Structure formats: C-alpha cells, structure tokens
C-alpha cells in the first residue's frame, strides 16, 4: 500500500491530465500507455483501441478513482497487452471477459475493493504475476490452477480470505506465494510459515500429485518467452518484485555468495556419496556420518544467516513488510537446499537470471528518477524567478501608489481645512441671523414651537423611531437581497422578499400615521393662534419655554454637558442626567457644589450623591497633578500628554456597521431613498426623482421616503 495517497483532483484538472497523457502516449514510442494519477473516475473513451493501434504493451491506470474497466472500449483490443496495472483504485469486480487478454503477463489490482476473482482468469496462459494484495477477497476460484506460467501470487492483506485452493498445486512454475500466515487456515499456519516450497509440497500432497521444483518448468517458460521479452521494455513489470529486489540487490548478492559456498560443500558431499555407493556397509556408514557432519555445519551457517536477516528485518519492519516476506522465503529456500542438496544447482541458475533481470530493472528506474529530478529543478527555478520578478513589481507599484496617495491626501487635507473654516463661518452667521429673526418674527417662533412640539410629543417620537427602525431593516434587507442575488440563492431571496413586503406595508402605515399626527399638532397651533390674547407680548416665546420645561427626561439627558455625562456614567448615576440638563449644570458649577445642593437638585439617594462627589474629587486631583507635571517640564518643545479638557465635551466613539450601498444608477452617491411600495433602498435622492419603477424589482414607484443619516 502507498504511504501517501495522492490528493483529490477536480473534474477539470482530471480532464486536463487525461488529455495530456493521451497526447504523450500518441507521440511517445514508449510501449507503456501511462494514465496514472489523473483522478479519472472511468477509463477514457477509445483507450483500448489506441493501445491496439499504437501497439502498446503496458497500460498503467493506477492511482485513480476507477470503479470498473468500462468506457475504454472493447477488451479484445488489448489482446497484445502484457502489463495491466490497476492498483490503488476503487474497482469492485474484474470483467468476466478478462480472458481475451491472451498475452497478459502482469496483472496488478492491489489496493482495490475486489470481493471475488472471475473464473475466466484461469484462461490467461501467459500470466506470470498476479497481485491481489489489500482487497476484500472471500476466496479464489479453482480455475486459478490453470495458470501454467504463474510465477508470483500475492494475496496478502485480505482479512476474509481463508487460504488458497488445492488446485494451485497444478501450477508448476510458481516461485513466490505471498500470504498472511496469521490469517489463512489452508494450508496450515506452520506450513505457510515455512515458505513457498513447503506450501506447494503440502498442496501436492493433498492433490496426490508429485511435487516438482519450479526451476525445471521455468526453463521451458523462459525459453518460450525470450523473443517476446526482447520487444517489451522492462519498465512495466511486477511492482512488488521490482521494488523489493531493487532495494535489496546488495543483500541478495551477499547471500548468493554464501549460497555458492554452501553449494560447493554440498556438491562435494554428493560426489562422495556417489563414489561410495557400491562400497561395503561399513564404508556407507562412515560416509553417512560425514554427510551428517556436513549437514550440521550447513545448519549452523544457515542459523547465523537467519539471525542476521532477523536483525535487518527489525530495522526495516515499519516500511518494508514485503522485504520481510522475501527474507522468510530466502530462509525457507536455504532450508530446502539443506534437505535437497542435489537440486541446488538449478535454483542457483534461476537466481542468477533473476539477478540479471533485477539489474536491468534498477538501471531503467534510476535513469527515469534522474530525469524526473532534472525536470523538477527546471520547473522550480522558473517558478522562483517568476515569483521574484512578481514581488519586485508589486513593491515598485506599492511605493508609487503610496507616494501618490500621500501627496493627494495632504492636498485634500488643506482644501478640507479651508472649506471647513468657510462652512463654520457661514454656520455662525446663519445662527446669528436665525436667532435675530426668531426674536423678531412670531412666525418663526411659531415654527420653532412646532419643531419642539414634534420633539416633545411622545406619539410622534414613537412613530419616528419606528420609521427609522423600518428604514434600517429595509436597508439591511436590500443589502442581503443583493448578496443573495449575486449568490443565486433563490429560496432565501423569496423569504427575504416576503419579509420586505411585510415591512414595507408597516412602513406605509407608520408614514400615514406620522403625517396625520403632524397635521393634528399643526391644527392645535392654529387653534392656539386664534385663541391667544393680542395684548400679550412674547406669546410664542412663553409657549416655547413651557414646552422646553416639559421636555421628556430622555431628550433632556441628551442635552447634558459631555463632562457631566462622563462623571455620571463613572458614578453609575446616568438616570439623573435630566436633572443636570434641566438646571444647565456645567463642570465649573459642579466642582463647587455641596451635598446639600445635590440633594436640592433632586438627588435624594445618599450613596449616589457620595459617588458623584468622589468622582468630582478624583477629577480635581487629576487636574492638579497634570498642572504640577506641566510646570516641572524644562523643555517646553517636548509634547506632554494632557488630560482631557474639563470644558470640552468628549463624545464617545461609536462603531457602527455601514449599512448603506452605492446608488445602482449613478454609482457615485449613497442610497438614501426608500422606494414604496416595494421597499428597496437602492438609489440616491437625485436619481430617484427621475425614475418611475424600481431598478431592482421593476415594480412601479408610488412614494419616495428619504433617509437622513444622523
């Protein structure tokens, strides 16, 4: 199993990878058709016919998301295919027509979800390597015994597999059987632990056929496949054998030398046995003693070799489970040589051929790895140069924008100062003019009374507050509806539309009630005008003062001095802000007030009065310390942090979320008009005067209500 699974690729990226691999396969003379690691969920269309046209001998589809082999075309087009690698996919079953792959030699389906193997697999006469590791197999078909060329069978990591079928004894070329000794029940575990040779002997005994070492049959198989092997590159071969042998080539070479020495001793013993075969029984007894001594020496050498291999296995057990199985097979092979010394020469010849084949595989793998590292370095250097150039360009653009923004901000600040000074002067002049006009003109006094009456009227203030809340809600709904419109969330937009219609209806009702209340108050002023006595001077000023004195505490508290408000908040006496505002108490007056004066002001709780007095004393001590520190400073040019001025009210900073949007028509001004009857807040006052339908919902505009941001 791979240590790291490749990351999940998107559908577009998978399609691009498949197309790139198809182009490479068409242009490359390599006999391998590589579609691995593309994230494909099915075999691309036409792949099987391309393998036949391009005469590809290896099809690599490993590390994808395949669930079957459908979609690629007709399996008959793969009749010349020799290697089919499907490991690390999600395949649940192999096709029943798998036997049309007459030339197939390597079939790797490791790391899939197979529960069974089709019986037609027994018709693959050329199959040499069958890797079924890490699946969910429940059993193997008896037809697997028809694989006359099978050399490697890997069925490990199948937790529900009871063992191998007895018909496997008919496979005379089988060299390696890799299985989980602790899981299988047939053959017995003690037999399975001794290696492939012991397993085959046991199967032959059960099947009542004679056991013949695979080396005798392998020579015939290799002889028949020499011509075809010259045409096939060694790259697409059995993955397990290639990886394990490439990693332990040096170890196998050392073991081979030791086995040659053991073979020499066994060969001498065999010659000695043949020479003394016709001698007397005494000579034969002496010869057997020598043979037993030689076997004891060989057993000691074998035990030492086994101990060394055990130490190496413990060091590599975490990442090399397959190597452990190979080592056990090698130990089992050495034990077999001890018992059947006369047949060791054939096994050594086979190991020599296997070593030569392994050297060829390792050579090709190293060349490909070096090429791959070179391409990665070129790509990395190109990305590094591109990233460095991009960063330099961004730094230069940022510096230019920063200088330009700084100069523009300084110019705008100067212009704003001049403009603000002019506005303040105009406001002062307008205020003086307004005060003189109010004192002279009764009409202005009447209008002032009307404004104050609107402020003091509880019903009008309630309606105005509710209208303001509805305006905020409609603005929020418009913003949300725009966001949902961009995200194409139709269901939520429908819910928002129904909510907006309900709020719009309520707002229309409140606007009519507000207008009705204003008309009632204006009618009351007209009645007062008719009933007033003409000889009373300053009639409207007296009425204004009466309304001002009867102003609600909540409005009076807002007119309280800023420093007084801070002191009351610190003393937790905010409820008495209206008392200080009604008597126009300032900070200078509060500094000299006594407990009795606070009680006369309307603060009857002793604890509250003490808290206010304590806060005032702390403020006075803070002011005195600040003045002393200021007098001790020798360098007047050094800025000294000053406490907040007692006469300057400090307004608290209130952070609020900007709920306004830009006008969808001019795209310059803020949206400040509620369009009725739809309730959208999507355009400014200037643009709304020229439209007859809402820009968002296309409903006719019946009424426009402007939002004034305080």
């Amino acid at each position: 199993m791979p240590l790291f699974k490749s990351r999940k690729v998107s559908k577009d990226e998978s399609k691009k990878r498949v197309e790139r691999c198809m182009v490479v396969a068409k242009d490359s003379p390599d006999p391998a058709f590589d579609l691995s690691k593309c994230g494909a969920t099915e075999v691309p269309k036409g792949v099987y016919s391309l393998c036949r046209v391009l005469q590809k001998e290896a099809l690599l589809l490993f590390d994808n998301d395949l669930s079957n082999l459908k979609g690629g075309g007709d399996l008959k087009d793969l009749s010349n295919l020799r290697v089919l690698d499907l490991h690390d996919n999600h395949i649940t079953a192999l096709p029943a027509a798998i036997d049309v792959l007459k030339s197939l030699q390597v079939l790797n389906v490791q790391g899939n979800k197979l529960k069974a193997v089709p019986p037609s697999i027994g018709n693959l006469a050329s199959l040499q390597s069958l890797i079924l590791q890490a699946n969910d197999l429940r059993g193997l078909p008896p037809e697997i015994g028809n694989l006359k060329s099978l050399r490697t069978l890997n069925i490990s990591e199948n937790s529900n597999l009871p063992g191998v079928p007895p018909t496997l004894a008919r496979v005379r070329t089988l060299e390696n059987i890799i299985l989980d000794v602790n899981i299988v029940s047939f053959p017995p575990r003690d037999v399975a632990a001794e290696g492939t040779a012991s397993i085959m002997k046991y199967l032959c005994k059960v099947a009542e056929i004679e056991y013949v070492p695979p080396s005798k049959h392998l020579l015939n198989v290799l002889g028949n496949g020499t011509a075809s092997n010259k045409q096939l590159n060694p790259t697409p071969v059995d993955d397990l054998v290639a990886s394990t042998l490439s990693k332990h080539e040096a170890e196998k070479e050392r073991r081979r030398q030791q086995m040659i020495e053991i073979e020499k001793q066994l060969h001498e013993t065999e010659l000695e046995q043949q020479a003394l075969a016709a001698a007397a029984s005494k000579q034969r007894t002496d010869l057997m003693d020598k043979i037993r001594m030689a076997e004891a020496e060989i057993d000691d050498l074998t035990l030492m070799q086994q101990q060394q291999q055990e130490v190496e296995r413990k060091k590599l057990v975490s990442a090399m489970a397959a190597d452990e199985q190979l080592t056990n097979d090698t130990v089992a092979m050495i034990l077999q040589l001890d018992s059947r010394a006369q047949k060791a020469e054939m096994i050594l010849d086979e190991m020599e051929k296997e070593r030569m084949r392994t050297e060829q595989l390792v050579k090709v793998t190293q060349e490909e790895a070096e090429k791959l590292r070179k391409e990665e370095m070129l790509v990395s250097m190109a990305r590094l140069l591109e990233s460095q150039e991009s960063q330099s360009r961004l730094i230069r653009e940022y510096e230019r924008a920063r200088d330009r923004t700084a100069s523009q901000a300084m110019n705008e600040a100067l212009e704003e100062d001049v403009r603000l000074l002019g506005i303040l002067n105009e406001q002062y002049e307008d205020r003086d003019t307004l005060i003189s006009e109010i004192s002279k003109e009764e009409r202005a006094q009447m209008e002032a009374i009307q404004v104050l009456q609107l402020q003091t009227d509880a019903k009008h203030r309630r309606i105005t507050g509710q209208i303001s809340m509805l305006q905020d809600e409609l603005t929020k709904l418009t913003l949300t509806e725009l966001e949902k419109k961009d995200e194409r969330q139709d269901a939520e937009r429908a819910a928002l539309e129904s909510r907006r219609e309900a709020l719009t209806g309520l707002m229309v009702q409140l606007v009519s009630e507000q207008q009705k209340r204003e008309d009632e108050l204006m009618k009351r002023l007209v009645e007062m005008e008719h009933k007033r006595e003409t000889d009373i001077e300053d009639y409207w000023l007296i009425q204004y003062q009466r309304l001002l004195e009867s102003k609600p505490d909540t409005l009076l508290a807002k007119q309280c001095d800023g420093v007084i408000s801070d002191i009351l908040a610190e003393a937790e006496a905010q409820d008495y802000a209206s008392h200080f505002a009604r008597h126009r108490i300032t900070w200078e007056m509060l500094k000299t007030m006594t407990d009795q004066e606070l009680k006369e002001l309307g603060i009857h709780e002793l604890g509250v009065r003490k808290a206010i007095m304590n806060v005032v004393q702390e403020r006075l001590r803070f002011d005195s310390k600040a003045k002393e520190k200021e007098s001790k400073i020798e360098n007047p040019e050094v800025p000294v942090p000053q406490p907040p001025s007692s006469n300057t009210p400090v307004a608290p900073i209130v952070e609020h979320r900007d709920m306004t949007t830009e006008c969808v028509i001019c795209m310059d001004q803020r949206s400040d008009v509620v369009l009725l009857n739809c309730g959208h807040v999507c355009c400014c006052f200037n643009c709304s005067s020229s439209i007859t339908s809402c820009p968002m919902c296309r409903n006719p505009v019946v009424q426009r209500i402007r939002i004034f941001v305080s």
Side-chain angles (χ1 to χ4, degrees), residues 421-439 444:
L421 184 59
I423 292 173
L424 290 175
N425 293 331
E426 292 177 359
Q427 289 181 351
Y428 289 145
E429 294 175 358
D430 293 341
R431 186 186 62 182
D432 296 338
T433 304
L434 182 60
I435 292 173
S436 60
E437 290 178 356
I438 290 175
S439 61

Side-chain angles (χ1 to χ4, degrees), residues 34 108 144 146 149 205 212 217 219 232 300 388 390 430 435 503 567 585 613:
D34 191 357
N108 186 356
I144 200 171
N146 299 332
S149 302
K205 182 179 179 180
V212 180
H217 298 276
L219 292 176
L232 183 61
D300 294 338
Q388 185 177 4
S390 177
D430 293 341
I435 292 173
L503 292 177
I567 293 175
I585 303 299
M613 297 296 292

Side-chain angles (χ1 to χ4, degrees), residues 60 62 88-89 96 136 222 247 340 441 464 572 640 708:
L60 309 181
F62 60 87
D88 291 333
N89 278 285
D136 193 17
L222 292 174
K247 292 179 181 178
R340 304 295 296 272
E441 298 180 4
T464 304
E572 298 182 356
V640 179
F708 293 95

Side-chain angles (χ1 to χ4, degrees), residues 5-18:
K5 187 71 175 177
S6 60
R7 66 180 180 87
K8 186 74 174 180
V9 298
S10 62
K11 187 175 181 181
D12 295 337
E13 185 178 356
S14 173
K15 185 177 180 181
K16 292 180 182 178
R17 290 187 183 182
V18 171

Side-chain angles (χ1 to χ4, degrees), residues 462-478 499-511 513 659 674 676 679-681 705 707:
R462 176 182 59 80
I463 295 174
T464 304
Q466 292 177 353
I467 291 176
S468 177
M469 292 172 58
L470 289 176
Q471 289 175 351
D472 293 341
E473 287 295 326
L474 288 174
T475 304
K476 292 179 182 178
L477 286 177
T478 303
R499 183 181 176 187
R500 176 171 47 78
E501 290 177 356
L503 292 177
T504 304
L506 183 58
M507 187 171 183
V508 171
Q509 180 181 354
L510 291 176
V511 169
E513 291 181 3
M659 296 185 300
V674 180
L676 299 179
H680 282 125
V681 184
I705 299 177
I707 301 174

Side-chain angles (χ1 to χ4, degrees), residues 342-448:
Q342 66 275 14
K343 299 176 182 178
E345 184 177 1
M346 297 180 183
I347 297 177
L348 289 174
D349 293 339
E350 179 59 29
M351 291 186 65
E352 178 66 20
K353 293 177 182 179
E354 186 177 359
R355 186 188 62 80
M356 294 174 63
R357 184 169 63 254
T358 303
E359 289 179 355
Q360 294 177 357
L361 292 177
V362 173
K363 181 179 179 182
V364 173
T365 304
Q366 290 176 350
E367 291 177 357
E368 292 182 352
E370 292 176 359
K371 181 180 178 181
L372 180 60
R373 285 195 296 270
K374 182 177 180 181
E375 293 177 356
E376 290 177 352
M377 286 190 292
L378 291 175
V379 173
S380 178
M381 292 173 63
R383 290 178 178 175
L384 180 61
L385 293 175
E386 183 180 357
S387 175
Q388 185 177 4
E389 178 64 24
S390 177
Q391 290 179 357
S392 302
R393 184 172 62 256
L394 290 174
I395 291 174
R396 291 194 297 269
E397 292 178 357
Y398 167 73
E399 291 178 350
R400 289 196 298 267
R402 182 187 60 189
D403 297 339
R404 184 171 58 255
T405 304
S407 60
Q408 183 178 359
M410 292 178 63
N411 295 332
E412 291 179 355
L414 293 175
E415 294 175 359
E416 288 294 331
D417 291 341
V418 175
R419 190 182 302 112
L420 182 60
L421 184 59
I423 292 173
L424 290 175
N425 293 331
E426 292 177 359
Q427 289 181 351
Y428 289 145
E429 294 175 358
D430 293 341
R431 186 186 62 182
D432 296 338
T433 304
L434 182 60
I435 292 173
S436 60
E437 290 178 356
I438 290 175
S439 61
K440 294 179 180 179
E441 298 180 4
E442 291 187 353
R443 184 63 183 173
Q445 294 174 2
M446 182 177 177
E447 292 176 356

